Amino acid sequence: MSESSGLKLGRYELKGKLSADEVSVLYGALDLHSGRRVALRIIQLPSTIEPSAREELLRRARALTTLRHPNVTPVYEVGEDGGEIFLAEELLYGPTLEQWLLERRRGWRDICRTYMQAGSGLLALHAAASQYARRAANTELL
């Protein structure tokens, strides 16, 4: 999806690319059902991915829709359209943690407080994934 503005994915209309990394591309988008602006994360999967691995990724991503934590961006929906897996997330504005750290000199207390908040969010994500993994293991054991 190179030129994104106006393209549709599920019920979302892409408005422009916000960022990209090795795993996903993040777009600003409009939910055509609710009129809400969202961030739409399109997961970059290798073409050789096994169907079982794809399903596992979808199950884990859907588990994120139940997670509520002040330091984790809410995921509204996980979906598929035309073979693309996407996550509709709250659209947030502001610097990344790296940008925040580099934009000016900060005291160690501010840095520690901010990194502790980020760590708290990562811990919540890990706990949610672990809870999902335990449930999955319990339902798949013979």
Side-chain angles (χ1 to χ4, degrees):
M1 294 199 171
S2 53
E3 195 56 42
S4 60
S5 191
L7 291 178
K8 292 188 176 121
L9 193 62
R11 68 183 203 215
Y12 302 96
E13 182 177 327
L14 303 182
K15 295 298 185 181
K17 186 175 175 180
L18 301 175
S19 66
D21 59 30
E22 307 81 37
V23 178
S24 65
V25 180
L26 189 66
Y27 294 92
L30 178 66
D31 181 335
L32 297 173
H33 291 177
S34 69
R36 172 172 53 185
R37 292 190 175 279
V38 299
L40 202 69
R41 183 174 306 279
I42 300 174
I43 307 300
Q44 304 294 304
L45 294 175
S47 58
T48 58
I49 190 169
E50 293 290 328
S52 60
R54 182 184 181 85
E55 287 306 312
E56 178 69 11
L57 173 69
L58 279 166
R59 281 193 295 274
R60 288 178 184 248
R62 287 183 181 118
L64 296 176
T65 63
T66 63
L67 178 61
R68 296 292 174 260
H69 188 279
N71 304 113
V72 176
T73 304
V75 175
Y76 301 133
E77 177 188 10
V78 175
E80 287 185 272
D81 186 15
E84 301 275 8
I85 294 176
F86 63 86
L87 285 75
E89 307 172 5
E90 181 177 357
L91 180 59
L92 300 174
Y93 297 95
T96 65
L97 186 57
E98 181 182 24
Q99 291 166 340
W100 175 85
L101 186 62
L102 296 174
E103 70 187 5
R104 67 178 172 86
R105 187 171 174 86
R106 299 186 184 275
W108 67 269
R109 284 185 179 91
D110 283 343
I111 294 170
C112 287
R113 180 176 53 252
T114 301
Y115 272 78
M116 290 293 289
Q117 291 170 348
S120 174
L122 290 172
L123 185 61
L125 285 168
H126 177 71
S130 295
Q131 183 179 13
Y132 163 80
R134 282 192 301 276
R135 278 197 316 270
N138 288 336
T139 60
E140 295 171 8
L141 290 177
L142 299 177

